[in-house]
Amino acid sequence: MLTLSGQRPVHTLLGHALPAAYDQLIELAPRAPLRPAGERATAPLVRRCGEYQPRHGVIEAFARIASGDRLTALAFRLELGADARWRCAAIDLGPLA
């Protein structure tokens, strides 16, 4: 969320995302789709989140992110690697304006 709101650079996620997900972040980050608009904008806020485990070692999660007066859907997939570390394998945002 910090990367997609322009608060942290994408490279802070190196090692936390698999190549395809990292490429998605590189494409999304310059637009900062979760950056709040307006003069008195506050940081994005997670309104609701949930998860589904389709099988061991995989978590598919979602979050509803409030950013100013906008509500955005964020979905991502985490996969457990052979080194016992979780990494983001995919990320998707709802329709962007």
Side-chain angles (χ1 to χ4, degrees):
M1 191 164 74
L2 294 174
T3 298
L4 296 176
S5 64
Q7 297 176 43
R8 295 273 193 266
V10 175
H11 72 267
T12 60
L13 295 175
L14 273 172
H16 299 285
L18 296 175
Y22 191 76
D23 289 345
Q24 288 174 299
L25 289 167
I26 288 172
E27 184 179 321
L28 290 168
R31 295 185 279 166
L34 298 180
R35 178 180 291 149
E39 291 179 20
R40 296 186 296 156
T42 58
L45 179 67
V46 176
R47 290 285 183 199
R48 187 175 190 294
C49 57
E51 63 165 84
Y52 169 69
Q53 284 190 276
R55 67 176 193 275
H56 176 73
V58 174
I59 297 173
E60 293 178 349
F62 75 88
R64 291 185 191 138
I65 311 293
S67 183
D69 61 350
R70 295 179 317 215
L71 192 60
T72 304
L74 170 67
F76 53 97
R77 179 182 176 101
L78 302 174
E79 295 181 359
L80 185 61
D83 59 358
R85 291 180 56 203
W86 288 94
R87 290 183 181 82
C88 182
I91 188 164
D92 188 26
L93 288 170
L96 299 174

